[in-house]
Amino acid sequence: MRFLTKKIEENCSDMIISYMFENERNDSEMFKYLNKLSNKELEKQLYEYKTIKGALSETFKYSLNNDKKVIILGLGKKENLTRKKFAQAIASAARCAKTITGAKTIGFELIENINQCDCNYSNFEKDDAAKIIFSSARIGLYSFDKYLHEKKDTIETIEILDNEINSKIEYGAQIGAYTSYAMKFAKDLVNESAQIVTPEYIADLACEIAKEHNLNIKIYNKKEIKELGMNAFLAVGQGSVNEPKFIHLTYKPKQNPRKKIALIGKGITFDAGGLDIKPATSMLNMKNDMTGAASVLGIIQAISKIEPDIELHVLSALCENMPSGSSYKQGDVLTAKNGKTIEVDNTDAEGRITLADALCYADTLEVDEVIDIATLTGAVIVSLGTNITGIMGNNQKQIDKFIEISKKSCENTWQMPILDELKENLKSDIADMKNTGGKNAGTSTAAWFLSNFTKSKNWLHIDIAGTAMADKLNKETIFGPSGVMIRTLINYLLS
Ligand code: BES
Ligand code: MN
Ligand code: ZN
């Protein structure tokens, strides 16, 4: 898909999207242009016949001629508009455009700066709007049609149309476009079958990415993982015929880096639960247990295109969690890279074991911050549902900043606590800790477990088990992998 910014009259759109606030007239240059092309029929429809009232995400389709159509997109009451509502409306307009057969290029009017009381992130400028338009339109249009005979993706180009595009707007638009690419990349990889997406497949893909974007890459095979002392991670993968891989990609800026960040993605390519095998229905979506890995691989591609002055290390401990004769067993004591020992209480709490070694590895990189993103606990679904991501960490300043940026990135987050008292839950008689601690406070307990394996004073943990798959609460994308937190993480890295 191509992303372009253009002057209004230079558009090549088959379909143009303009806006209407509830009970307000649009007097933008774009509306005037469209109205003129319609011989003023458009203003009659909207303001005389009141065909739509302009409620949020309401759409009115109008045909200017055979090859140019218009969608007037309702944005609700102006004083109620927020970034997130704008993003949702853009996504629904893009989906509406997709239903018009033959449309290949869609153009969006660039909304004017919204300056009002900044409660609820309702203030945004044209560069934010450009960012939102490109990312949300692409998300709205997304479908995984690789295995469908009937292809659904027909739109090839998205244009942002405005007569005063300056470099700030252009930069926002660019970030939006690269972000949407990262999200599409991650969604495609998560949607692909676990039969195909094995640790080796992701490792090969990482090599291709490194080649294309000129990144440093190191892939560790089973023997090398052992040499590094990541025996906890190795144990999780030992029940599978597919060998584990550990990947480390590095983006280095041309200038001296302003900050160095390690980003770890949970990479269980299929989570059957191991010997603590999951019930069949709980296993249905478990090819998505590598969403963290897919996300960080998408993010590093966007970052190497945007070229900020930061150093970014992307890490993932990739393996399958399968039951078999060679699986790791309940009661096994594992030794992580930092020497701490773990008694296996439940083989289905595998993500934290693989992340433990990845966190230890990150400690060797001398970075300023360590962030992990993981489909880690079913418990986060119980506490926050399927539309809010759980955020934890050991530095309140970093957490506050991250949550602030998530709101500006149109994503829902909520902080969960990590209290030292939680260690009682994981007490073991024969090892430093167990890997599970009963049914209470599962998300916080898992985070407390992880906190034992990092020395970083700026460690942030993102639990996306509830939000990695979109459901009907998510108004931007269809059911399936959501690409959650990719926007926030890219904006965080750029901050
Ligand atoms: N990958 C799962 C978590 C998960 C659950 C992700 C539902 C997406 C949707 C994780 O490895 C897991 O199995 N966690 C267990 C931990 C338990 C055994 C303490 C869980 O949450 O049930
Ligand atoms: Mn599991
Ligand atoms: Zn898992």
Side-chain angles (χ1 to χ4, degrees):
M1 194 167 286
R2 290 188 313 157
F3 299 88
L4 305 170
T5 51
K6 281 189 176 167
K7 289 210 156 70
I8 294 174
E9 308 242 354
E10 288 165 6
N11 80 80
C12 300
S13 306
D14 312 309
M15 173 118 39
I16 293 181
I17 291 151
S18 181
Y19 311 108
M20 181 179 173
F21 284 109
E22 209 167 308
N23 306 321
E24 265 183 61
R25 291 180 82 102
N26 184 345
D27 58 3
S28 67
E29 282 181 62
M30 172 62 96
F31 189 81
K32 284 179 195 144
Y33 163 79
L34 296 172
N35 196 35
K36 198 168 135 203
L37 287 182
S38 76
N39 294 323
K40 301 202 173 166
E41 180 62 22
L42 211 47
E43 77 178 8
K44 267 192 216 147
Q45 287 286 339
L46 295 177
Y47 309 131
E48 210 172 295
Y49 312 146
K50 299 199 188 319
T51 318
I52 60 166
K53 82 170 197 215
L56 188 72
S57 295
E58 196 181 8
T59 49
F60 170 61
K61 291 187 219 172
Y62 183 82
S63 201
L64 290 172
N65 54 45
N66 268 346
D67 38 42
K68 225 181 212 18
K69 298 186 172 59
V70 178
I71 294 175
I72 302 294
L73 172 65
L75 292 179
K77 291 208 174 75
K78 196 170 193 173
E79 64 271 23
N80 291 342
L81 189 68
T82 61
R83 288 167 190 246
K84 196 160 74 196
K85 284 184 186 165
F86 184 59
Q88 290 170 347
I90 291 291
S92 61
R95 271 194 296 273
C96 174
K98 204 171 161 171
T99 62
I100 298 175
T101 42
K104 287 201 159 56
T105 300
I106 51 178
F108 286 84
E109 175 181 348
L110 187 57
I111 192 172
E112 285 303 312
N113 292 349
I114 304 279
N115 285 317
Q116 42 204 17
C117 112
D118 198 18
C119 33
N120 300 321
Y121 302 87
S122 40
N123 259 358
F124 53 103
E125 305 203 345
K126 279 177 139 182
D127 61 320
D128 295 307
K131 202 194 261 191
I132 292 172
I133 289 171
F134 273 159
S135 45
S136 297
R138 184 67 191 86
I139 298 162
L141 292 172
Y142 180 84
S143 61
F144 183 65
D145 56 14
K146 180 176 168 190
Y147 295 110
L148 292 176
H149 277 95
E150 202 184 316
K151 302 296 177 206
K152 290 182 179 167
D153 237 346
T154 53
I155 289 164
E156 290 163 0
T157 307
I158 304 176
E159 298 177 330
I160 287 179
L161 305 170
D162 192 278
N163 288 341
E164 280 146 39
I165 294 197
N166 57 30
S167 59
K168 196 172 163 222
I169 296 172
E170 194 65 58
Y171 181 65
Q174 248 188 45
I175 294 174
Y178 290 132
T179 303
S180 77
Y181 174 77
M183 291 177 75
K184 171 174 162 43
F185 171 88
K187 282 162 162 263
D188 280 347
L189 192 55
V190 176
N191 264 319
E192 187 57 271
S193 319
Q195 278 211 65
I196 293 173
V197 182
T198 59
E200 189 180 358
Y201 178 91
I202 297 183
D204 290 347
L205 191 59
C207 284
E208 277 172 36
I209 291 171
K211 235 184 254 155
E212 192 189 326
H213 297 268
N214 236 324
L215 305 169
N216 291 340
I217 183 159
K218 180 70 194 142
I219 309 270
Y220 299 92
N221 62 23
K222 193 173 168 184
K223 187 168 150 263
E224 293 162 320
I225 294 167
K226 196 168 206 152
E227 281 162 11
L228 282 173
M230 299 201 271
N231 289 308
F233 161 42
L234 267 190
V236 173
Q238 76 190 30
S240 167
V241 292
N242 294 310
E243 283 206 1
K245 299 277 180 193
F246 187 91
I247 59 172
H248 175 189
L249 283 106
T250 313
Y251 160 80
K252 283 193 175 156
K254 293 192 183 91
Q255 57 278 64
N256 260 344
R258 172 168 62 80
K259 58 178 178 182
K260 299 182 181 183
I261 299 191
L263 194 53
I264 305 170
K266 174 173 169 180
I268 303 296
T269 57
F270 192 76
D271 182 11
L275 291 179
D276 279 295
I277 192 165
K278 285 181 186 293
T281 50
S282 309
M283 225 184 279
L284 274 179
N285 280 332
M286 281 305 140
K287 70 176 182 187
N288 85 3
D289 217 16
M290 36 58 78
T291 301
S295 306
V296 298
L297 285 174
I299 289 167
I300 199 166
Q301 295 176 73
I303 290 297
S304 45
K305 285 285 191 189
I306 301 168
E307 297 190 311
D309 54 348
I310 60 159
E311 186 173 303
L312 177 64
H313 296 265
V314 152
L315 310 173
S316 188
L318 299 157
C319 69
E320 268 185 350
N321 187 24
M322 299 292 281
S324 81
S326 60
S327 294
Y328 76 136
K329 302 175 180 73
Q330 295 82 344
D332 284 355
V333 177
L334 317 174
T335 308
K337 182 169 164 56
N338 67 354
K340 291 198 181 163
T341 53
I342 304 159
E343 179 187 356
V344 178
D345 191 50
N346 189 317
T347 62
D348 196 13
E350 82 298 335
R352 62 194 74 180
I353 300 178
T354 62
L355 287 170
D357 272 335
L359 285 165
C360 295
Y361 181 97
D363 271 343
T364 66
L365 303 174
E366 294 176 352
V367 290
D368 306 306
E369 295 182 44
V370 176
I371 302 177
D372 73 76
I373 172 165
T375 45
L376 202 65
T377 63
V380 78
I381 312 173
V382 179
S383 31
L384 299 179
T386 54
N387 211 24
I388 305 173
T389 297
I391 307 296
M392 286 141 279
N394 60 10
N395 184 321
Q396 194 55 44
K397 268 205 183 127
Q398 186 192 23
I399 294 171
D400 290 343
K401 180 178 166 192
F402 189 85
I403 290 179
E404 170 82 12
I405 290 176
S406 76
K407 288 180 181 158
K408 290 192 171 155
S409 310
C410 314
E411 301 203 274
N412 304 321
T413 50
W414 200 258
Q415 184 181 357
M416 307 273 284
I418 309 180
L419 301 175
D420 226 23
E421 288 90 318
L422 291 167
K423 76 165 163 244
E424 293 305 316
N425 288 351
L426 297 178
K427 231 186 184 100
S428 160
D429 292 328
I430 58 167
D432 294 331
M433 71 202 86
K434 292 193 294 191
N435 73 328
T436 56
K439 63 177 169 36
N440 292 341
T443 303
S444 291
T445 306
W448 184 86
F449 177 93
L450 293 179
S451 73
N452 287 278
F453 298 91
T454 182
K455 290 200 189 91
S456 174
K457 297 275 178 283
N458 292 293
W459 161 67
L460 190 97
H461 164 56
I462 309 171
D463 194 335
I464 53 166
T467 48
M469 297 292 277
D471 63 11
K472 64 180 187 310
L473 289 176
N474 185 323
K475 298 201 174 75
E476 276 185 271
T477 189
I478 52 164
F479 173 79
S482 63
V484 72
M485 286 296 115
I486 290 178
R487 275 177 283 186
T488 301
L489 276 165
I490 290 175
N491 291 333
Y492 183 84
L493 292 171
L494 297 179
S495 71

